[in-house]
Amino acid sequence: VTSESSSDVVVIGAGMIGAMCALRLIEEGVRVTLVEQHFPGGGSTGAAMGHVVAMDDTPAQLALCAYSLGRWEALRHTFDGVAEYDVAGTLWLASDDAELNVATRRATSYRAAGVKAQVVDTDSLELLEPNLAFGLAGALKVEGDGVCYPPAIVRELVTRAVASGLRIVTGRVATLDTQCACLEDGSRIRAAHIVVAAGVNSIALVPRLPLVPRKGHLVITDRQPGLIRHQLVELGYLRSAHTMANESVAFNVQPRRNGQLLIGSSRELVGQDNSINRSMVRAMLERAVRFVPRIASARAWRSWTGFRPTTPDALPLIGAWQEMPGVWIATGHEGLGITMAPGTADIIVAGILGVAPPVDATPFLPDRPIRIRQVA
Ligand SMILES: Cc1cc2nc3c(=O)[nH]c(=O)nc-3n(C[C@H](O)[C@H](O)[C@H](O)COP(=O)(O)OP(=O)(O)OC[C@H]3O[C@@H](n4cnc5c(N)ncnc54)[C@H](O)[C@@H]3O)c2cc1C
């Protein structure tokens, strides 16, 4: 006997994106079923760094980041004691004058979007981060950026949604039928709206999505309290994040609240091979030591990999999928899915309720004509 149930909305995937969508829909009084094949937060979200960051590769990207940062600012107070959310700020490090010029240009575009940003010179940088290598030209300081622990936030979002009536089903959605999610075990869930928030696996359900998995490594160290105070990223990170090279590494280090350091970051196009690539890890660590020499004496406890759901134009896919009436897409956030989750959920909720979204959502339409974005 095939079991059949119904809901107003089915959300597929309990990562940061699906969990945020589910809670927001529940808050609007909608009946929601959330389907997760493993456990909430166990996908890319559990592998992420948790940098909540205003990125400004394009005006559309910055608009969604800036809106989401505003929402995180309100949300983080409701996660006290759970999320390890600290407003550490980001220092984008400039190695030379050319990069400092980039920092100056970016400061202007941030401020135009309402994001607090300023350029700091070498002397001020030394005061902000005494353990940085000598000889850096300065940095761009973005003070409102945060760091958090994403899997704990997802668990909390799901717990809150369940307390307000969310139905959660453990199982794998095998196919989508008209207004119906069909699970591997033969059960079917009917709903007027289906939100596909299955991360890199969304293409198994909607094969024409322009989405590829992009592997990343992270390393966590032993406790080094006070060694660094901000999220530190090299300005060259932008090139690594937004060009589709087969392999790239950029310096990106985060201070965790307990003193551990989370060291990134790598990008590789290798399908869903999740093995550790030792040469990538070595390159990441060498780069970290180049910017913060004292990291050489830290002990690396563990390293792992995860997959960023990546689109060719570096913008997420958010909105109705016209080919399949009732299907909504919420994925493709690359390295910004934690950051952009609140904005994404608000856009999806607005679409389902038929009201105007809080930011212009046209650049994110999942069936937009896609132009490949390359940053010089
Ligand atoms: C190394 C690394 C570092 C990162 N650092 C950051 C960062 O600092 N800041 C930031 O903003 N972002 C970061 N990201 C990106 C971020 O992790 C992702 O953009 C985000 O987690 C995507 O969330 P999601 O909910 O879309 O996907 P996921 O977290 O992967 O969730 C999808 C869920 O769907 C489930 N699922 C899939 N298929 C099915 C199915 N058929 N049926 C049922 N369930 C299904 C999966 O089990 C999974 O739980 C990083 C990513 C990586 C890999």
Side-chain angles (χ1 to χ4, degrees):
V1 183
T2 310
S3 85
E4 187 156 318
S5 58
S6 73
S7 208
D8 297 330
V9 180
V10 172
V11 177
I12 304 169
M16 185 63 87
I17 301 293
M20 196 70 86
C21 288
L23 179 62
R24 283 288 295 109
L25 286 160
I26 287 278
E27 286 171 351
E28 295 295 333
V30 175
R31 283 186 316 142
V32 184
T33 300
L34 176 61
V35 189
E36 168 56 50
Q37 61 184 355
H38 297 131
F39 59 92
S44 300
T45 297
M49 200 176 209
H51 186 201
V52 178
V53 50
M55 289 277 275
D56 61 342
D57 186 26
T58 54
Q61 184 188 63
L62 181 55
L64 187 54
C65 285
Y67 173 79
S68 295
L69 269 147
R71 293 272 287 106
W72 274 119
E73 181 50 30
L75 271 172
R76 74 184 176 91
H77 297 291
T78 74
F79 286 109
D80 279 351
V82 177
E84 295 180 31
Y85 196 117
D86 290 323
V87 184
T90 305
L91 286 173
W92 293 89
L93 304 175
S95 294
D96 52 30
D97 287 345
E99 287 192 355
L100 204 58
N101 288 338
V102 173
T104 307
R105 276 207 311 276
R106 287 184 62 196
T108 310
S109 78
Y110 274 128
R111 288 195 292 261
V115 175
K116 280 191 194 153
Q118 55 170 309
V119 175
V120 293
D121 63 15
T122 308
D123 292 345
S124 315
L125 184 57
E126 248 179 75
L127 292 175
L128 290 170
E129 290 288 355
N131 290 311
L132 278 173
F134 291 118
L136 294 172
L140 170 67
K141 183 179 177 207
V142 184
E143 8 185 300
D145 288 354
V147 303
C148 67
Y149 186 50
I153 296 183
V154 168
R155 274 198 303 276
E156 180 66 14
L157 291 169
V158 171
T159 303
R160 285 181 197 180
V162 167
S164 301
L166 173 74
R167 178 176 164 241
I168 182 151
V169 170
T170 303
R172 193 178 79 83
V173 176
T175 53
L176 300 180
D177 209 343
T178 311
Q179 301 196 326
C180 187
C182 312
L183 275 69
E184 208 170 37
D185 65 4
S187 59
R188 296 162 67 84
I189 311 170
R190 300 211 151 273
H193 304 278
I194 297 175
V195 180
V196 179
V200 289
N201 294 324
S202 299
I203 30 178
L205 298 170
V206 185
R208 281 180 15 86
L209 287 178
L211 199 64
V212 289
R214 213 171 176 199
K215 179 160 132 181
H217 292 76
L218 290 177
V219 172
I220 188 109
T221 71
D222 59 353
R223 295 179 187 210
Q224 300 285 325
L227 186 68
I228 61 167
R229 302 160 182 170
H230 304 79
Q231 177 101 20
L232 301 178
V233 193
E234 65 175 303
L235 271 158
Y237 176 90
L238 288 178
R239 206 172 305 116
S240 165
H242 297 302
T243 51
M244 284 299 257
N246 280 346
E247 279 190 11
S248 63
V249 167
F251 166 73
N252 187 348
V253 178
Q254 177 178 97
R256 304 292 317 162
R257 196 178 272 187
N258 67 1
Q260 289 182 289
L261 302 176
L262 196 45
I263 302 177
S265 66
S266 69
R267 284 177 158 79
E268 278 175 284
L269 293 170
V270 287
Q272 293 210 36
D273 165 12
N274 66 359
S275 60
I276 298 278
N277 178 341
R278 286 175 178 275
S279 68
M280 273 287 170
V281 174
R282 190 177 316 115
M284 271 162 48
L285 295 177
E286 280 169 4
R287 210 142 181 88
V289 170
R290 185 173 144 195
F291 280 89
V292 185
R294 284 186 51 197
I295 285 183
S297 57
R299 191 177 290 257
W301 278 138
R302 194 164 81 82
S303 94
W304 65 90
T305 61
F307 296 95
R308 304 174 181 91
T310 304
T311 63
D313 66 357
L315 289 175
L317 309 165
I318 312 168
W321 185 245
Q322 302 295 346
E323 268 179 29
M324 301 165 85
V327 169
W328 299 80
I329 308 295
T331 186
H333 299 80
E334 217 269 349
L336 290 170
I338 308 306
T339 305
M340 289 177 165
T344 301
D346 287 358
I347 292 172
I348 291 290
V349 170
I352 288 175
L353 298 181
V355 300
V359 286
D360 177 12
T362 346
F364 315 119
L365 285 174
D367 45 11
R368 64 187 177 264
I370 293 222
R371 291 204 344 263
I372 295 177
R373 170 110 187 123
Q374 296 283 329
V375 174

